[in-house]
Amino acid sequence: GGGGKSGKFSWMPVDKLEGEIAKTSTKLKGMDEQLASEEVYRDVKRCNALLNDREKIADELREMEEEWLKRAGK
């Protein structure tokens, strides 16, 4: 988390932002399902790779939601 810099999603129109948030939430849900499946769970390499990706995507989602809240709050 950087300081008070403008978010990388600040250029996005709100409707696009909402679409991206929905898409990203769905992606995360899919990853959670994969992580819950036994074959992934047992495959340490795959599991770790998935967790790393999930973390990046979760960060992006959080940034998008913050940007959205900033605008919705006005």
Side-chain angles (χ1 to χ4, degrees), residues 10-11 16 20 28 30 36 44 53 55 60 65 67 73:
S10 54
W11 60 272
K16 179 158 173 61
E20 288 297 309
L28 275 179
V44 175
D53 281 353
E55 206 175 312
E60 273 192 358
E65 286 175 336
E67 183 62 42

Side-chain angles (χ1 to χ4, degrees), residues 59-70:
D59 279 349
E60 273 192 358
L61 181 61
R62 198 165 51 237
E63 282 183 46
M64 284 190 276
E65 286 175 336
E66 278 172 13
E67 183 62 42
W68 183 84
L69 285 170
K70 248 187 258 178

Side-chain angles (χ1 to χ4, degrees), residues 7-22:
K8 63 178 163 180
F9 299 105
S10 54
W11 60 272
M12 266 191 200
V14 168
D15 55 346
K16 179 158 173 61
L17 201 55
E18 285 174 357
E20 288 297 309
I21 286 171

Side-chain angles (χ1 to χ4, degrees), residues 31-71:
M31 285 182 145
D32 286 341
E33 280 164 21
Q34 277 183 293
L35 283 163
S37 85
E38 206 167 312
E39 60 169 313
V40 175
Y41 187 72
R42 287 179 180 209
D43 185 339
V44 175
K45 253 189 184 155
R46 195 167 155 201
C47 198
N48 284 339
L50 203 54
L51 283 169
N52 280 339
D53 281 353
R54 193 196 180 285
E55 206 175 312
K56 277 181 217 146
I57 290 169
D59 279 349
E60 273 192 358
L61 181 61
R62 198 165 51 237
E63 282 183 46
M64 284 190 276
E65 286 175 336
E66 278 172 13
E67 183 62 42
W68 183 84
L69 285 170
K70 248 187 258 178
R71 302 198 208 168

